Amino acid sequence: MGNFYKDNIRLKRQFTHPLMHEIVALREKNYTESEQFDYAPTDFEDAVECYDSTMALLGEICADVIATNAPYVDRQGPSCANGRVTYADGTQENHRTLTEASLYGMSLPRRFDGLNFPTVAAIMAAEMVARADAGFENIWSLQDCAETINEFGDEELKAEMLPRIARGETCSMDLTEPDAGSDLQSAMLRAWWDDETQTWRLTGVKRFITNGDAHIKLILARSEEGTTDARGLSLFVYHKDWGGVTVRRIERKLGIKGSPTCELVFDNAPAKLVGSRRMGLIKYVMSLMNGARLGIGAQAVGISEAALQAAHQYALERKQFGRPIIELTAVAEMLSVMQAKVDASRALLYETARFVDLAKGYTEKAKNEGLEGDERQRNKWAQRNADMLTPILKLLASEYSNQVTYDAIQVFGGSGVVEDFPVARLYRDARVTTIYEGTSQLQVVAAVKYISNGELPASIRERIASISEPELAERFTHLADELEHAVNYCTERGNDLFTLHQRRLVEMGGHIVMSQLLYAERGVDERAEQSFRHYLAMTEAWSAERKRFIEIFSPEQIGLK
Ligand SMILES: Cc1cc2nc3c(=O)[nH]c(=O)nc-3n(C[C@H](O)[C@H](O)[C@H](O)COP(=O)(O)OP(=O)(O)OC[C@H]3O[C@@H](n4cnc5c(N)ncnc54)[C@H](O)[C@@H]3O)c2cc1C
């Protein structure tokens, strides 16, 4: 029997991070929930013990059920007939097993039958599920839609929808349309008020909707007739029992084949408004997407971890020229690069999750009892960091999962491209992570403002202050100088040059942050030290290369005037 939690010491360690005390105390309202629910933790140790045992249970299901089913699900895939989707057999078994183990609704409040786990724990669960089967993780993690209902819905809507999600009803997030992809403000699916039945109704088409035949949907729709921009969009909730939505077809895809990607027809489907009109995209979908981007970060790390472990095991067993290929420098280097990228991605994933937890915790506290002393500042600090790091995580972790799975195939040689081994599937599954929940280019657009307003460079300098070894502090200072030089170089030469190089600037900043997070983790074991040294060296090389490229490459050279 395997266990994706117990076989990876890098997961459990997240619960002992110094910020966890603050996060858990906020989540548990200073452990007062235990007065109301006898299964709520009474102190920090009690809470961590509960996370630990739940993760161990999920880790076992991931290894023994979901990962075992993954190759069959990949081959069978879902099917669509008469407007409805049927999951592959393995997907149905995965879903049944997790429902029976009460592993849905992890982060929901207890009063809605959830476990009230912090984001750190929910994200860890997502990483493990994705390591087992990235396509299934899509279906499982869409329960995050519940967070949006919980945050912005009224009490009646929450009481109606949230316990269902905790019981295993699945969700979908219906934003994209044929003519509204990255540019969601041009969504045109129509929401209209039906006087006769006193309900909102939805009419139109959505495209590329993961798990589109879900029980509960969140839908972005145009409620304000005659508008064409974001201010005319509202968010609605729909339940399958209400009727009026059919699946026109499901896409045939490169990867994540177990996850049905649906084209949907809304035929005057009844729906309920979430929160206030006109705030659909501006407020609610932005929040929903930030959560989903963190989820894709976890998915990317899970896929990368699976590829790294498979490649490592294969390199130990495969012999060429009379010795295991892991002893060949070229193979050992590939594995070391893969490991450094996985560890750097994971470090950023949990750092971001911690900031999200802190920001959510203080925001909730502000609503219920108000904030005291420096709590207001701490809330702002956490929110700013969460907003800044989320797009950087999504960008880099998803790009790395593509690179790591590519290298994993290389380590396998010819066996890598045949479907008898898992790495071919992992490679196909990784590809979409740089596209959905906002493409890499859109993550750059979201992150670059923290470069131009100086917040990311400043946070890098702040972290340098805690580095005690002079040699390392000097190397990080040099990296911070290079980043600032590159930013100033572009800024001084105008908008076009800045726009051309904005991805390079975000990447430079992101690589430094990841190196700094690995610095904080080193010393734990040999792997952590190796990953830090390797990632820092790569960061230095990439930084010098990007800085040079920025100096010699201008918009004219790609044909732009
Ligand atoms: C398998 C799968 C599952 C999905 N699941 C869902 C789901 O559950 N719910 C949902 O609502 N949507 C879903 N999507 C849709 C997904 O979010 C979009 O595909 C994605 O946002 C990109 O939109 P697009 O495909 O229309 O590409 P486009 O927006 O047409 O982009 C094409 C290219 O132009 C670039 N580009 C566009 N605008 C800019 C810009 N301003 N600056 C720089 N570059 C830009 C893009 O980066 C990309 O390279 C899914 C997609 C796939 C493939």
Side-chain angles (χ1 to χ4, degrees):
M1 281 204 336
N3 193 312
F4 283 6
Y5 178 64
K6 292 189 176 169
D7 75 0
N8 186 353
I9 56 155
R10 279 160 177 78
L11 297 183
K12 184 171 178 148
R13 237 186 10 235
Q14 304 301 334
F15 295 136
T16 56
H17 188 280
L19 283 176
M20 284 308 288
H21 282 268
E22 188 179 348
I23 289 169
V24 180
L26 282 165
R27 191 84 194 173
E28 292 300 334
K29 303 188 178 67
N30 251 335
Y31 304 101
T32 50
E33 286 244 321
S34 58
E35 292 157 16
Q36 218 181 328
F37 302 95
D38 56 5
Y39 54 96
T42 50
D43 57 27
F44 178 71
E45 285 69 31
D46 200 12
V48 169
E49 211 179 293
C50 178
Y51 306 153
D52 191 50
S53 57
T54 308
M55 291 303 134
L57 170 65
L58 178 62
E60 196 180 307
I61 294 173
C62 284
D64 292 347
V65 180
I66 303 173
T68 308
N69 284 333
Y72 305 102
V73 170
D74 182 58
R75 239 168 282 153
Q76 185 190 4
S79 55
C80 177
N82 303 320
R84 301 271 74 95
V85 170
T86 306
Y87 294 139
D89 297 338
T91 307
Q92 292 180 34
E93 191 195 357
N94 298 342
H95 182 61
R96 215 170 30 244
T97 310
L98 290 179
T99 308
E100 281 165 8
S102 300
L103 287 169
Y104 280 88
M106 227 173 236
S107 55
L108 279 180
R110 291 190 180 87
R111 66 193 174 99
F112 297 124
D113 303 336
L115 297 176
N116 198 38
F117 277 13
T119 306
V120 166
I123 278 301
M124 191 178 293
E127 181 195 328
M128 287 193 284
V129 175
R131 178 179 155 196
D133 180 348
F136 181 70
E137 196 257 348
N138 276 351
I139 297 168
W140 182 84
S141 71
L142 274 159
Q143 62 181 305
D144 274 1
C145 290
E147 294 269 317
T148 304
I149 299 174
N150 189 36
E151 203 175 336
F152 303 113
D154 59 29
E155 279 304 308
E156 198 186 323
L157 191 64
K158 288 190 214 183
E160 184 181 4
M161 295 294 161
L162 300 184
R164 292 167 180 253
I165 297 171
R167 284 197 299 272
E169 289 201 358
T170 63
C171 300
S172 70
M173 189 179 79
D174 303 13
L175 314 176
T176 305
E177 296 176 12
D179 293 322
S182 301
D183 181 17
L184 281 177
Q185 65 178 339
S186 55
M188 289 311 282
L189 186 120
R190 186 173 160 240
W192 55 279
W193 180 251
D194 181 359
D195 263 335
E196 207 180 306
T197 55
Q198 291 291 297
T199 48
W200 284 96
R201 293 196 178 270
L202 305 178
T203 310
V205 173
K206 289 280 177 188
R207 183 193 186 205
F208 284 164
I209 306 304
T210 298
N211 200 34
D213 199 19
H215 301 94
I216 295 168
K217 299 176 152 297
L218 284 178
I219 306 126
L220 182 68
R222 189 158 297 281
S223 54
E224 313 307 315
E225 218 179 326
T227 60
T228 50
D229 65 6
R231 284 165 297 180
L233 295 168
S234 304
L235 190 67
F236 293 87
V237 78
Y238 161 90
H239 194 280
K240 199 173 173 174
D241 289 349
W242 302 342
V245 181
T246 47
V247 182
R248 185 142 71 186
R249 66 192 190 104
I250 54 178
E251 308 292 342
R252 291 176 60 234
K253 304 194 297 291
L254 175 71
I256 53 160
K257 292 192 175 189
S259 162
T261 308
C262 306
E263 188 167 301
L264 303 173
V265 179
F266 289 73
D267 185 9
N268 298 328
K272 293 186 181 179
L273 182 70
V274 179
S276 314
R277 277 166 78 162
R278 295 173 176 269
M279 300 306 279
L281 183 61
I282 296 165
K283 189 166 176 192
Y284 313 139
V285 168
M286 282 303 147
S287 162
L288 178 65
M289 295 251 286
N290 267 339
R293 284 170 182 177
L294 190 64
I296 302 302
Q299 182 176 61
V301 173
I303 296 171
S304 295
E305 179 68 33
L308 173 64
Q309 294 218 12
H312 187 258
Q313 193 56 36
Y314 186 82
L316 285 171
E317 288 164 11
R318 172 74 174 164
K319 286 196 176 116
Q320 285 296 279
F321 301 98
R323 55 186 175 144
I325 59 169
I326 199 164
E327 291 175 14
L328 303 170
T329 305
V331 175
E333 191 195 351
M334 273 193 281
L335 288 167
S336 183
V337 171
M338 290 161 72
Q339 179 189 287
K341 288 177 181 168
V342 174
D343 289 349
S345 303
R346 182 176 289 115
L348 185 55
L349 173 66
Y350 289 98
E351 181 79 348
T352 311
R354 283 187 286 271
F355 283 124
V356 169
D357 266 328
L358 284 176
K360 274 189 186 172
Y362 281 116
T363 305
E364 183 71 13
K365 190 171 181 197
K367 260 195 260 167
N368 298 332
E369 53 190 285
L371 299 179
E372 302 162 359
D374 68 354
E375 289 181 336
R376 210 163 283 116
Q377 287 307 61
R378 210 150 166 78
N379 188 17
K380 274 192 193 153
W381 167 77
Q383 191 62 62
R384 211 172 44 241
N385 274 287
D387 292 346
M388 179 167 76
L389 295 183
T390 299
I392 300 177
L393 165 76
K394 163 72 167 73
L395 169 71
L396 292 178
S398 65
E399 294 289 344
Y400 283 164
S401 75
N402 278 275
Q403 295 166 19
V404 168
T405 52
Y406 177 96
D407 282 348
I409 289 188
Q410 200 65 20
V411 170
F412 270 76
S415 300
V417 298
V418 299
E419 297 282 351
D420 304 353
F421 292 93
V423 287
R425 172 172 49 84
L426 294 169
Y427 179 70
R428 291 187 281 102
D429 286 352
R431 188 60 194 90
V432 75
T433 61
T434 67
I435 294 169
Y436 56 17
E437 303 309 346
T439 62
S440 289
Q441 288 71 25
L442 267 286
Q443 303 311 310
V444 170
V445 171
V448 76
K449 65 170 174 282
Y450 299 100
I451 291 277
S452 48
N453 71 11
E455 282 189 38
L456 187 66
S459 81
I460 287 169
R461 298 256 185 221
E462 261 169 49
R463 285 180 197 269
I464 295 175
S466 64
I467 296 174
S468 49
E469 297 91 328
E471 183 249 348
L472 289 176
E474 202 177 301
R475 286 169 72 182
F476 275 115
T477 304
H478 181 68
L479 284 168
D481 291 345
E482 269 184 335
L483 174 61
E484 272 179 16
H485 172 92
V487 174
N488 291 339
Y489 184 91
C490 292
T491 312
E492 283 157 14
R493 282 160 185 79
N495 207 24
D496 289 350
L497 194 77
F498 192 90
T499 307
L500 176 65
H501 292 303
Q502 59 186 9
R503 178 165 181 166
R504 269 168 281 277
L505 298 173
V506 170
E507 285 171 346
M508 283 172 85
H511 296 150
I512 304 172
V513 171
M514 281 170 148
S515 300
Q516 292 181 321
L517 294 172
L518 289 176
Y519 167 81
E521 285 187 359
R522 88 210 171 104
V524 173
D525 59 14
E526 225 175 272
R527 168 168 164 176
E529 183 69 34
Q530 184 184 337
S531 286
F532 165 64
R533 294 276 167 194
H534 201 152
Y535 199 82
L536 177 60
M538 291 193 293
T539 295
E540 288 172 326
W542 293 331
S543 179
E545 182 189 295
R546 280 172 176 72
K547 179 173 160 280
R548 176 74 187 130
F549 191 79
I550 286 169
E551 287 164 359
I552 60 172
F553 201 72
S554 60
E556 295 76 40
Q557 283 159 286
I558 55 166
L560 287 175
K561 292 279 172 296

